[in-house]
């Protein structure tokens, strides 16, 4: 099927590498955000930690890493979960539908989580991460994000903009506590991330990159 496309844009760098090994014209293009949907939003803090997203419904409930990490965090902090599918994991959550709801929750949360585990049982993806919309949307509202560390992620938003943990539950708990204690550092990091995403990571910027790449094939 890949041979039917002249040029392909993929958001996962390893997939791009594989396609290029097949002698195909593949280019890395990550996600972005729409500034009219995710603008600067600040309200009073209500939650220590929140996560907005879906459960890993393609794996058995006991293997859902998002639920595992959130349950572990709940033993230490005030964690609020918004999204679908977590009831199957015996994890209470609240539904959400609109961008306005997301902006409000991001601004009410001291540490916003980005759990980037891939929703599939295939063993190839067991130790891989997948960039999520929240990675750009939370910083776009001027609020603080905590995410798994990875070369792709840190190249897009360096560690002086986003909080990173090493991927383990233990370090997630530790880094969450660290940033909850240091509101000034969180705010300074969030300011830098806000400037970066609005300067470089809008979907308009992605379209401009696509047009530049396509010029090579004219």
């Amino acid at each position: 099927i890949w041979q039917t496309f002249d040029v392909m844009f993929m958001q996962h760098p390893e997939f791009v590498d594989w396609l290029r090994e097949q002698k195909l014209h593949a280019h890395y293009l990550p996600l972005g955000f729409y500034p009219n949907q995710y603008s600067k939003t600040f309200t009073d803090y209500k939650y220590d930690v929140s996560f907005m997203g879906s459960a890993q419904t393609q794996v058995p409930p006991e293997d859902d890493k998002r639920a595992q990490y959130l349950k572990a965090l709940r033993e230490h902090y005030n964690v609020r979960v918004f999204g679908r599918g977590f009831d199957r994991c015996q994890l209470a959550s609240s539904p959400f539908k609109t961008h306005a709801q997301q902006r409000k929750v991001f601004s009410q949360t001291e540490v916003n989580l980005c759990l980037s585990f891939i929703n599939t049982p295939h063993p190839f993806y067991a130790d891989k991460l997948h960039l999520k919309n929240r990675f750009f949307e939370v910083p776009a509202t001027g609020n603080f994000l905590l995410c798994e560390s990875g070369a792709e992620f840190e190249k897009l938003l360096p560690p002086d903009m986003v909080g990173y943990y090493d991927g383990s539950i233990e370090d997630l708990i530790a880094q969450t506590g660290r940033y909850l204690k240091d509101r000034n550092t969180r705010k300074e990091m969030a300011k830098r991330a806000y400037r970066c995403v609005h300067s470089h990571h809008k979907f308009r910027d992605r379209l401009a990159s696509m047009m530049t790449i396509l010029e090579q094939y004219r």
Side-chain angles (χ1 to χ4, degrees), residues 5-17:
F5 300 101
D6 293 327
V7 183
M8 291 171 285
F9 296 96
M10 301 292 170
Q11 71 170 85
H12 201 291
E14 291 185 41
F15 194 20
V16 169
D17 291 340

Side-chain angles (χ1 to χ4, degrees), residues 174-217:
Q175 295 303 324
T176 299
R178 169 195 170 191
Y179 285 113
L180 282 174
K181 293 176 183 176
D182 195 346
R183 183 172 292 179
N184 289 335
T185 294
R186 290 201 324 265
K187 288 187 173 182
E188 288 304 312
M189 292 172 69
K191 287 179 183 177
R192 287 191 285 269
Y194 172 84
R195 291 193 292 267
C196 182
V197 297
H198 280 272
S199 296
H200 304 292
H201 298 300
K202 300 183 294 294
F203 275 118
R204 181 184 299 173
D205 301 314
R206 303 295 184 244
L207 180 60
S209 297
M210 289 176 66
M211 295 298 102
T212 299
I213 291 169
L214 290 173
E215 283 292 321
Q216 304 173 20
Y217 298 94

Side-chain angles (χ1 to χ4, degrees), residues 157-169:
L157 294 177
D160 66 339
M161 300 180 187
V162 167
Y164 289 105
Y165 70 99
D166 68 10
S168 69
I169 288 177

Side-chain angles (χ1 to χ4, degrees), residues 80-95:
R80 187 70 182 269
V81 180
F82 297 84
R84 296 177 299 176
F86 288 103
D87 54 334
R88 67 196 288 270
C89 305
Q90 288 74 56
L91 184 63
S93 62
S94 302

Side-chain angles (χ1 to χ4, degrees), residues 71-106:
K71 286 179 178 179
L73 271 181
R74 275 191 169 175
E75 296 179 9
H76 301 268
Y77 310 111
N78 167 25
V79 180
R80 187 70 182 269
V81 180
F82 297 84
R84 296 177 299 176
F86 288 103
D87 54 334
R88 67 196 288 270
C89 305
Q90 288 74 56
L91 184 63
S93 62
S94 302
F96 71 93
K97 291 183 178 180
T98 68
H99 304 302
Q101 286 177 293
Q102 289 178 290
R103 293 195 304 269
K104 183 176 180 180
V105 171
F106 295 159

Side-chain angles (χ1 to χ4, degrees), residues 125-162:
Y125 297 101
D127 61 346
K128 290 181 170 44
L129 301 173
H130 188 66
L131 197 67
K132 301 295 180 182
N133 301 79
R134 306 295 176 269
F135 187 77
F136 300 106
E137 293 167 353
V138 173
T141 65
N143 293 289
F144 179 78
L145 180 71
L146 179 62
C147 187
E148 304 88 355
S149 61
E152 176 192 7
F153 297 3
E154 294 185 32
K155 184 176 180 180
L156 292 166
L157 294 177
D160 66 339
M161 300 180 187
V162 167

